[in-house]
Amino acid sequence: MKFSTGAAALALLATQAIASPTSGKGQSKRPKGFPYADGEHFKLDGQPFLFTGSNAYWLPFINSPPDVKIAMETAVKAGQKVIRTWAFNDKNTTFVPGGLPQYGGEGAGASPVYFQSWKDGKATINYGANGLQAMDKVVKLAEETGVKLIMALTNNWADYGGMDVYTVNLGGKYHDDFYHVPKIVNAFKKYVKAVVSRYKDSPAIFAWELANEPRCKADGVRNLPRSAGTNCSYVMMDAWIAEMGAYVKDIDEHHMVTWGGEGEFFYEGAEDWAYAGSDGGNFYAELALDEMDFGTFHLYPDWWTKTIEWSNQWIIDHGKAQKKLKKPVLFEEYGFLNPADRLAWLNRTMAANETRVAVMSEWQRLSLKYEMSDMYWQFGLCGLSFGCSTNDGFTIYVNNTEESTPLIYEHAKKVNAANRKL
C-alpha cells in the first residue's frame, strides 16, 4: 500500500523535515531550560531529553495549589519529567437548542475554574482568580518543582467544552466546521493568543498542543455531527494544523508545537480505520509539516476494540515513523482498563496473562526500544486534601505499588538510564 500523500509529495515532506526541522528555529537564542527537538530526539540545554511522564488534565480544576504541588513533587520523585494538562475550559452561557455540546459531569468533578465563557456568540476570556490566574499557579508550581508541561489548547470531545462551544456560538452546524470556517478559526486564535502569550517566557512549558485528539468527528451523542461526504479529510485537517502551528510559532518562537492527534495513518486501500485516515489523520504528512516539532499518538485497545497484538504493532509503526522522518514521536496517552471496569462497562474479560502490568509493560518496552518518550493515562494520587484524584478506569495510582512499582518507578529508571546513554 502507498501513502495517500503520493510518493513524490511524501518524499518532499520528509526531506523538509530532515533538512530544515522547525526545531532549529531560534535554537541559537533559545533561553535556558526550554526543550526542543533535534533530529528524532528531544533535547534540553544541549543534552538528550528522553523522558517518561503522565497525564493529569485535572491539575488546574481542583483549584488547590497545595495539592497540585504534592502531585508534581510526587511525579518528580517517581522519575517523571513531563505532565500533560488542559489549558482550556469553555462554558457556554447561551441556550443552544438540543444542548450540544453536552459538557459537564467530568471525572474531576465540578470546578469553579473556567478559562472562557460564551454568550450570544461572543467569547469572554476569564483572567480572574477562577480563570487564568488558576493556571498561573499551576505553571508557577511546575517551574518550582522542575516539571515540564504539555498544554492542550482545546478538546475534540465535549468534556470541558472544547471545539463545539466555538462552533455552536458562531453558527456552525458540524463538528468539522471548527477547522475551516474563518470566524470560528479566528475565535480560537484569539484564545490561543491569550494563553500562549501569557506563558511564552516560562521554562515550565514543554510544548503547546493544538488540541486533544482532533478528529473530523467526535461523540455522536454529546457533540455536533460530522459533515456529510468527504468534506473533512486529511487535506482539511493538515491545512488547519499547519495554519495553527504557524500562528502559535509567530507568538512563541521558542517552545515546541504539536497537534495532539491519536496517530491515525492514511494508507490507501486500508480497511482498518486507524490506518485508513477515517477521521482525517495522515500521520506521516502531519509529522513532516514544518510547523510541527514532534508527533503524538495514543492507544486505547479497550475503547477501540483492538487486540493486544494489534496494539503492540501500533507502537512499532509509530516508532518506525520517528526513524523514517527523523522527528520525535511521543507516545502521549496509553491506557488499559482495570478488570472490574472492563467487565462492568464492556462486558468483556481478558486472558489471565493479559494483566494491566503485563500489557502496559510491553508497550513501554516497545516505546523505549524505538527511543520514544511516553506518558501514561492517567496520573493518580491519594492523600490529597479531598482524598484521591479522579479514577476513570485507566488511572494508575502511585499509592498502588502493585501497579506503580513496575509501570511508574521501574519504568522511569529504565527510561532515565537510556537517556544517559544517548
Side-chain angles (χ1 to χ4, degrees), residues 17 39-40 287-290 292-294 322 325-329:
E40 62 185 83
L287 182 60
L289 288 170
D290 280 347
M292 295 295 103
D293 291 287
F294 63 95
Q322 173 173 284
L325 292 193
K326 302 298 182 185
K327 290 178 80 171
V329 172

Side-chain angles (χ1 to χ4, degrees), residues 213 215 262 272-274 297-315 331 333-338 342 345-346 348-350 354-356 358-363 377 393-394:
E213 302 183 336
R215 291 187 181 192
E262 295 157 286
D272 186 328
W273 68 266
F297 73 103
H298 301 175
L299 175 57
Y300 293 99
D302 290 296
W303 291 154
W304 298 354
T305 319
K306 298 297 186 182
T307 66
I308 302 305
E309 292 74 20
W310 185 98
S311 303
N312 294 344
Q313 188 62 47
W314 181 248
I315 298 168
F331 191 11
E333 285 189 34
Y334 58 96
F336 197 58
L337 277 174
N338 68 58
R342 181 179 296 110
W345 299 338
L346 303 176
R348 191 185 308 154
T349 60
M350 304 299 294
E354 293 180 333
T355 64
R356 177 141 71 172
V359 169
M360 294 181 68
S361 291
E362 178 62 9
W363 294 351
W377 183 282
F394 296 100

Side-chain angles (χ1 to χ4, degrees), residues 87-96 103 112-128 130-132 160-162 164-170 187-188 190-191 194-195:
F88 63 86
N89 188 7
D90 302 282
K91 291 187 176 295
N92 184 7
T93 60
T94 304
F95 173 75
V96 179
Y103 57 83
V113 176
Y114 68 96
F115 301 136
Q116 185 171 230
S117 63
W118 287 82
K119 184 176 182 179
D120 299 325
K122 182 180 179 180
T124 301
I125 296 172
N126 183 5
Y127 292 99
N130 66 334
L132 288 178
Y160 298 99
D164 283 357
V165 171
Y166 292 84
T167 303
V168 297
N169 274 279
L170 295 173
F188 181 49
K190 182 179 179 181
Y191 178 73
V195 175

Side-chain angles (χ1 to χ4, degrees), residues 127-252:
Y127 292 99
N130 66 334
L132 288 178
Q133 289 179 31
M135 181 59 81
D136 292 345
K137 295 175 183 177
V138 173
V139 173
K140 184 175 185 295
L141 287 168
E143 292 175 349
E144 293 175 355
T145 57
V147 167
K148 302 294 184 187
L149 298 171
I150 293 179
M151 304 272 271
L153 295 167
T154 192
N155 200 6
N156 186 73
W157 314 103
D159 300 297
Y160 298 99
M163 298 176 182
D164 283 357
V165 171
Y166 292 84
T167 303
V168 297
N169 274 279
L170 295 173
K173 296 181 179 180
Y174 303 109
H175 181 72
D176 46 291
D177 285 344
F178 181 83
Y179 303 115
H180 70 96
V181 175
K183 61 182 178 181
I184 299 175
V185 173
N186 290 335
F188 181 49
K189 284 182 176 178
K190 182 179 179 181
Y191 178 73
V192 167
K193 183 177 182 179
V195 175
V196 173
S197 60
R198 192 176 184 91
Y199 306 116
K200 68 184 181 68
D201 296 322
S202 174
I205 306 303
F206 180 84
W208 299 109
E209 184 167 280
L210 301 182
N212 172 53
E213 302 183 336
R215 291 187 181 192
C216 287
K217 69 173 185 285
D219 186 321
V221 176
R222 301 173 64 214
N223 286 93
L224 293 172
R226 176 180 178 167
S227 61
T230 58
N231 181 51
C232 186
S233 69
Y234 73 87
V235 177
M236 177 190 290
M237 297 292 290
D238 289 2
W240 177 80
I241 291 169
E243 178 181 357
M244 289 306 306
Y247 183 76
V248 172
K249 285 182 175 294
D250 282 344
I251 302 169
D252 181 357

Side-chain angles (χ1 to χ4, degrees), residues 1-7 9-10 234 265-268 276-277 281-282 285:
M1 293 179 291
K2 61 179 180 179
F3 299 114
S4 62
T5 52
L10 181 57
Y234 73 87
F265 293 103
F266 191 177
Y267 297 168
E268 287 188 5
N282 189 343

